[in-house]
Amino acid sequence: MSGKNCGRIIVRKLLNTLYVTTADSYLSLDGETVVVSQGETALGRIPLHNIEGIVYFGYKGASPALMGACAERGIDLTFLTPGGRFLARTCGPTRGNVVLRQTQLIWSCDPIHSAGLGRMFLIGKVYNSRWVIERTLRDHPQRVNKQLLLDAITRLKDTLADLEDGVSLDGLMGLEGSAAKAYFDVFNELILRNKEGFRFCGRSRRPPLDAVNAMLSLCYTLLCSDVASALETVGLDPCIGFLHQIRPGRKSLALDLIEELRAPLADRFVLSLINLGSIVPGDFQTKENGAVYLKDDARQKLLAAWQRHKQEQLTHPFLKEKIPWGLVPYAQAMLLARYMRGDLDAYPPFLWK
């Protein structure tokens, strides 16, 4: 693969899937090669036989010749908005998605498979929640209540140990609640700036009753949308979950997969906006019913910062490759699909450190 960087990821091949994240690029076919172009400039050339799927973030699209070649070879071509919202997927003759979704539905109805996957999602959640606290304790030991944070870390370590045992779905939900309480009981300690204006006394959802909850709820919504798009991309149904069981109108599998990503992706992002002074108490308004929301200009500022954050790079802990944060949901969705197809012995949750 060849191409230009231009300061951000343009073309990325990950687990045999090609990701094109330059919104104004165009995909075409040259013989047996995918060409990624920007105007008259070719940003990358990738042989078709090297890839199993193409995920394109943008609106310019792809040539009919490329779409036909992908359909003929069974290469899924998925179109998303530049922000990551799922638009459509073109595919050729059925070559596994039906079997994958059948497996998904069967496992969702099986308490043993559901509990097994639910346990992995929660291991990721508890592990990552612990490391968000440990990072703050390491980086700002003089600005936090050290003993309070150490106690929370111990409680989360104990929950991780409990998750190692075989636990039913009801037992898993109990452990999830215990871990969430340990984490959010000390979340206020992680706020280091404008502490009065951003005082956090616990999660409030519908509606959010303080500025921190307003940002958390918005970022969880954004992350859930990204995760649902990632699941659609790999051929999984976002509504058929394991830890979160099927409920009409609910994206249960997206809610499953978001669990391990909340703390490292959304919570850290909200804390950075507060602690760096990017969002201030004056950016919020309170409604008559007590609901607190970001003002329009502040919301736009947060959304722009979220898109920038998704371009920041990290080394994926399982794949050992550098990818942007925005592709982490896609990597986890692919790993989940591979596990369900039998290509992996177990699903590896995202363990950030």
Side-chain angles (χ1 to χ4, degrees):
M1 179 180 70
S2 62
K4 299 180 181 179
N5 195 304
C6 298
R8 57 176 178 149
I9 295 296
I10 289 174
V11 179
R12 163 73 68 180
K13 190 177 170 208
L14 184 65
L15 291 178
N16 293 324
T17 296
L18 177 68
Y19 290 86
V20 182
T21 60
T22 303
D24 57 350
S25 61
Y26 182 74
L27 307 183
S28 60
L29 185 67
D30 181 10
E32 293 293 309
T33 300
V34 182
V35 181
V36 183
S37 303
Q38 189 176 44
E40 299 298 319
T41 304
L43 302 176
R45 302 175 66 88
I46 307 91
L48 269 178
H49 68 266
N50 284 345
I51 54 180
E52 297 175 359
I54 301 172
V55 181
Y56 172 80
F57 294 76
Y59 292 116
K60 286 197 172 182
S63 70
L66 176 61
M67 287 190 282
C70 288
E72 182 179 327
R73 292 161 176 78
I75 299 171
D76 285 352
L77 176 55
T78 305
F79 297 93
L80 300 98
T81 67
R85 181 171 58 84
F86 179 82
L87 292 173
R89 181 174 63 246
T90 64
C91 55
T94 301
R95 60 173 185 87
N97 280 354
V98 168
V99 176
L100 177 62
R101 292 195 184 217
Q102 181 186 47
T103 301
Q104 181 183 0
L105 186 56
I106 291 171
W107 285 16
S108 177
C109 297
D110 176 14
I112 295 178
H113 275 107
S114 291
L117 271 170
R119 186 170 69 90
M120 301 309 291
F121 296 140
L122 291 185
I123 285 174
K125 174 175 184 167
V126 177
Y127 181 97
N128 293 330
S129 297
R130 168 191 156 196
W131 276 107
V132 167
I133 299 173
E134 295 231 13
R135 271 273 180 109
T136 302
L137 184 58
R138 183 196 68 189
D139 295 342
H140 307 283
Q142 306 303 318
R143 302 180 64 184
V144 297
N145 185 324
K146 184 176 179 180
Q147 190 57 53
L148 201 62
L149 296 190
L150 287 173
D151 289 344
I153 290 168
T154 298
R155 290 167 65 188
L156 291 171
K157 285 182 177 178
D158 290 342
T159 302
L160 274 177
D162 291 337
L163 285 169
E164 293 298 326
D165 300 326
V167 185
S168 68
L169 278 173
D170 288 342
L172 287 175
M173 296 309 292
L175 290 173
E176 188 277 335
S178 174
K181 185 177 189 309
Y183 177 65
F184 282 120
D185 277 353
V186 298
F187 198 78
N188 195 59
E189 282 294 314
L190 311 183
I191 296 170
L192 307 176
R193 186 169 183 166
N194 289 319
K195 291 186 74 74
E196 285 303 314
F198 287 109
R199 181 169 296 278
F200 179 84
C201 298
R203 279 291 283 143
S204 55
R205 297 169 177 80
R206 301 182 184 90
L209 299 177
D210 58 54
V212 179
N213 274 293
M215 286 194 289
L216 287 175
S217 292
L218 176 56
C219 289
Y220 291 163
T221 299
L222 295 172
L223 181 56
C224 192
S225 177
D226 288 347
V227 169
S229 293
L231 293 167
E232 290 272 14
T233 297
V234 301
L236 288 167
D237 189 330
C239 295
I240 301 176
F242 304 104
L243 185 64
H244 297 83
Q245 291 291 286
I246 297 173
R247 182 185 299 173
R250 183 170 77 174
K251 295 179 179 178
S252 296
L253 185 56
L255 292 175
D256 284 353
L257 201 57
I258 197 182
E259 293 292 1
E260 62 196 72
L261 302 179
R262 289 180 193 268
L265 229 169
D267 296 355
R268 285 180 62 244
F269 172 72
V270 168
L271 288 168
S272 70
L273 291 179
I274 296 172
N275 292 336
L276 294 174
S278 303
I279 298 289
V280 297
D283 285 329
F284 298 83
Q285 57 183 337
T286 303
K287 303 291 187 180
E288 291 182 359
N289 66 347
V292 177
Y293 296 104
L294 280 159
K295 296 176 180 178
D296 289 343
D297 56 344
R299 186 184 304 108
Q300 293 304 314
K301 184 164 55 174
L302 182 147
L303 292 174
W306 176 257
Q307 294 303 325
R308 290 194 300 271
H309 176 53
K310 292 200 304 184
Q311 293 294 328
E312 295 171 6
Q313 302 236 346
L314 76 154
T315 299
H316 190 281
F318 180 79
L319 300 173
K320 307 301 181 186
E321 290 189 44
K322 286 190 91 59
I323 63 171
W325 275 101
L327 289 189
V328 170
Y330 295 88
Q332 293 308 119
M334 281 193 290
L335 291 169
L336 178 58
R338 290 196 168 200
Y339 167 57
M340 294 178 66
R341 288 192 176 105
D343 298 331
L344 292 174
D345 293 333
Y347 167 71
F350 179 77
L351 303 177
W352 170 81
K353 188 174 180 180

